[in-house]
Amino acid sequence: MTTSAKPLSVAVIGAGMAGRSHAAGYRNVNTVFGAGLPPIRLAAIADANVALGEDAARRYGYEKALASWEAVAEDPTIDAVSIVVGNALHRPIAQALIAAGKHVLCEKPLAGSLEDARAMAAWERTADVVTAVGYTFRRSPGIAAIRDHVRRGELGDLSLFSGRYWCDYATDPSGPLSWRFKGGPGSGALGDIGSHVIDVAEYVAGPIAAVSGASLSTQIPKRPLPLGAVVGHNAAPVSDEVGEVENEDTASFTARFESGLVGTFSVSRTAFGLPNGLAFDVVGLGGRAAFDQHRPAEYLFDDAQPDTRTRGARQIIAGPNLPYFAGGVPMEAPGVGASNGDNFTYQARAFLDQVAGVAEPLPACPTFADALRTMEIIRAVVESSENAGAAVTIPPVA
Ligand SMILES: NC(=O)c1ccc[n+]([C@@H]2O[C@H](COP(=O)([O-])OP(=O)(O)OC[C@H]3O[C@@H](n4cnc5c(N)ncnc54)[C@H](O)[C@@H]3O)[C@@H](O)[C@H]2O)c1
């Protein structure tokens, strides 16, 4: 098949843990769902670690590797860009890309500080480009299905949400002091993984009105300085010198949603034995649903079955019955699985659907304004923890 549509040129800034997922996502966008997107030109991957960038460009079929994000901003042929570097760099990169007229998919949390996030959300209001944020769990078929149950009222009036994101990537005290351990209270486990479970909670159960009872703690207060590049959560050669961990390893808090629903949240990067444990239960007066990222191709669903002998939670296995699955995987058979990589493809597709103005787009990506809200909630959690767990209200959704 030939097409005369002008290709859409994409680039990824950051070739680390999540950067490669974005790179793979763009590569796959025209293999999923309906036609409508123009051909995608995989223009460039930029990383300050040149060898890493070159390796990613080769693996995922990008035309070139660039040594700086500035080179992406300056390239007039590039239309749309993912920002997938440490959070403190999101603001300056987003500013330059928006000024250069490029569409931006920025990783979560929106920025390294609330002040930066507010500035970015302000630019979004006047920008003439698509501005989106990578809350990838929204693309998980099981999580999207649970949201649909809630929206159709199939759990009845909601009464409880219990969410956690427990990971073990910071359990080893000899792990390097990477960017993840810098930035002050709220930028540790809360910003890195708590932001995901807060976003999922609001996506599934609606807006949070207030938080209280917050407590933050750091189990490993000092870590060795890395001797070279650190990628993702990986171990790396370290020096004998140590530096201060500036943010929390663990946090917990209670939330009250605008609907009156009560929520409890627990987040940790030092949860031994749990590599990627985002899990939640959402409970109503007439049903319950539960998801666990360690079993990403299923969720549990329970409602009032008429026959009391067979009441209990049912295991719903991902297949064409779930959102994103039909047309979203090569083998559309129930039970073949659901992967984190697929979620990044759906996210990339949703972003480019918006950019290209596709007639029937995937559900839109969260905006900078949505992601600012998550940061406001994190700031409120920190404030609650600094005031003996006092309740802190969140401004209502505009
Ligand atoms: N959505 C998700 O599921 C998900 C998962 C992991 C990470 N993330 C987010 O993605 C972002 C990156 O996280 P990561 O784990 O991939 O980080 P990482 O440390 O693995 O990779 C970051 C990369 O940025 C590069 N870099 C640093 N400074 C640079 C500069 N000035 N110019 C160009 N490149 C530079 C580094 O060399 C490194 O390769 C973070 O915002 C993180 O929160 C999202």
Side-chain angles (χ1 to χ4, degrees):
M1 192 185 80
T2 57
T3 171
S4 56
K6 181 178 170 288
L8 199 52
S9 294
V10 299
V12 178
I13 296 175
M17 180 168 71
R20 279 169 280 181
S21 300
H22 282 251
Y26 289 127
R27 189 184 160 91
N28 290 332
V29 285
N30 266 321
T31 70
V32 292
F33 308 119
L37 271 187
I40 304 302
R41 173 180 164 243
L42 303 173
I45 297 187
D47 199 295
N49 181 339
V50 174
L52 194 71
E54 284 175 351
D55 178 62
R58 177 190 60 76
R59 287 209 224 176
Y60 298 106
Y62 283 66
E63 284 176 16
K64 61 188 170 193
L66 298 169
S68 75
W69 62 262
E70 288 89 344
V72 174
E74 286 159 11
D75 184 337
T77 72
I78 292 173
D79 304 303
V81 183
S82 281
I83 302 174
V84 204
V85 294
N87 308 331
L89 283 170
H90 293 183
R91 174 182 175 161
I93 299 177
Q95 183 172 25
L97 293 176
I98 292 170
K102 301 189 192 306
H103 306 281
V104 176
L105 170 56
C106 181
E107 259 307 340
K108 49 49 62 182
L110 182 57
S113 71
L114 187 54
E115 184 197 1
D116 284 2
R118 285 178 177 154
M120 291 169 73
W123 300 329
E124 175 179 70
R125 287 196 281 278
T126 54
D128 198 16
V129 292
V130 174
T131 42
V133 179
Y135 277 114
T136 326
F137 282 100
R138 292 190 184 204
R139 309 291 168 184
S140 161
I143 294 176
I146 291 174
R147 179 184 200 240
D148 289 345
H149 286 302
V150 171
R151 292 196 142 199
R152 288 194 297 261
E154 290 163 359
L155 306 186
D157 287 342
L158 298 186
S159 51
L160 283 173
F161 181 97
S162 171
R164 73 177 197 209
Y165 204 158
W166 288 355
C167 294
D168 64 0
Y169 68 80
T171 311
D172 180 357
S174 68
L177 189 74
S178 71
W179 63 262
R180 282 191 155 78
F181 300 93
K182 296 174 185 166
S187 67
L190 270 171
D192 198 30
I193 49 179
S195 56
H196 273 303
V197 72
I198 291 168
D199 183 70
V200 164
E202 290 207 311
Y203 174 69
V204 167
I208 291 173
V211 298
S212 59
S215 182
L216 274 53
S217 66
T218 305
Q219 283 81 52
I220 301 172
K222 290 182 197 293
R223 290 181 173 273
L225 305 184
L227 287 172
V230 182
V231 178
H233 305 143
N234 295 347
V238 291
S239 141
D240 294 335
E241 227 183 305
V242 293
E244 299 282 337
V245 170
E246 298 172 7
N247 50 32
E248 69 289 344
D249 288 330
T250 298
S252 64
F253 62 97
T254 303
R256 188 172 49 73
F257 289 68
E258 281 180 13
S259 63
L261 170 72
V262 171
T264 56
F265 291 80
S266 171
V267 178
S268 180
R269 59 189 181 191
T270 48
F272 182 85
L274 292 167
N276 197 20
L278 180 142
F280 67 89
D281 280 66
V282 57
V283 186
L285 299 180
R288 175 177 82 90
F291 176 86
D292 183 344
Q293 173 59 23
H294 287 145
R295 303 174 74 92
E298 65 180 58
Y299 67 96
L300 296 181
F301 181 72
D302 197 3
D303 59 2
Q305 294 297 308
D307 183 344
T308 52
R309 292 169 307 166
T310 53
R311 278 194 183 167
R314 306 192 286 288
Q315 177 196 29
I316 313 295
I317 295 176
N321 49 324
L322 262 54
Y324 294 107
F325 200 93
V329 291
M331 185 184 287
E332 287 185 26
V336 298
S339 83
N340 188 257
D342 294 334
N343 298 347
F344 276 91
T345 298
Y346 309 151
Q347 175 176 276
R349 173 72 195 235
F351 172 55
L352 295 185
D353 279 356
Q354 281 179 267
V355 168
V358 165
E360 289 183 33
L362 287 183
C365 292
T367 61
F368 283 10
D370 296 327
L372 168 61
R373 191 177 155 74
T374 314
M375 292 204 54
E376 299 272 12
I377 293 170
I378 289 172
R379 176 61 236 168
V381 171
V382 172
E383 199 179 317
S384 169
S385 77
E386 289 168 348
N387 291 285
V392 181
T393 52
I394 315 293
V397 175

